[in-house]
Amino acid sequence: WAQPYPDAFKELGSITKPVLIVQGESDLLVPVVNAINMSKNIPGAQLIVYPDAGHGALYQYHDEFVGAVLNFLSK
C-alpha cells in the first residue's frame, strides 16, 4: 500500500469526512500496519483492530462489527 505513491500519507490528511477503518490483526493479505498508518494520517479516523482475526474480520466478529458501524453512523 502506498509504495509507488510517496505522497499517499499527505493525501490521506486531506480527508475531511469521518472514516471508520476495520482490520483483522492477523490479516495476511493486508497487513495491519497499513490500517494503523491510515488511521494516523486521516484526521479523526477511528480504527478497530479485531484480535485473532484475518482478512474477514467483519465476518469473524460480526456482532461487534455491526454494533461498531451503527455507533459510528449514529454520530
Side-chain angles (χ1 to χ4, degrees), residues 20-51:
L20 176 64
I21 302 166
V22 178
Q23 179 76 31
E25 183 180 50
S26 302
D27 189 335
L28 297 177
L29 298 175
V30 181
V32 71
V33 69
N34 292 347
I36 294 167
N37 287 336
M38 285 174 56
S39 70
K40 288 180 179 178
N41 287 279
I42 298 173
Q46 180 182 342
L47 172 63
I48 300 172
V49 177
Y50 292 110

Side-chain angles (χ1 to χ4, degrees), residues 6-75:
D7 291 331
F9 290 130
K10 183 178 177 183
E11 211 168 279
L12 289 175
S14 68
I15 296 173
T16 59
K17 301 292 184 191
V19 174
L20 176 64
I21 302 166
V22 178
Q23 179 76 31
E25 183 180 50
S26 302
D27 189 335
L28 297 177
L29 298 175
V30 181
V32 71
V33 69
N34 292 347
I36 294 167
N37 287 336
M38 285 174 56
S39 70
K40 288 180 179 178
N41 287 279
I42 298 173
Q46 180 182 342
L47 172 63
I48 300 172
V49 177
Y50 292 110
D52 299 321
H55 197 65
L58 63 147
Y59 301 109
Q60 292 170 272
Y61 285 85
H62 52 84
D63 290 335
E64 294 90 339
F65 173 73
V66 170
V69 169
L70 291 173
N71 183 49
F72 178 80
L73 293 174
S74 71
K75 295 180 183 179

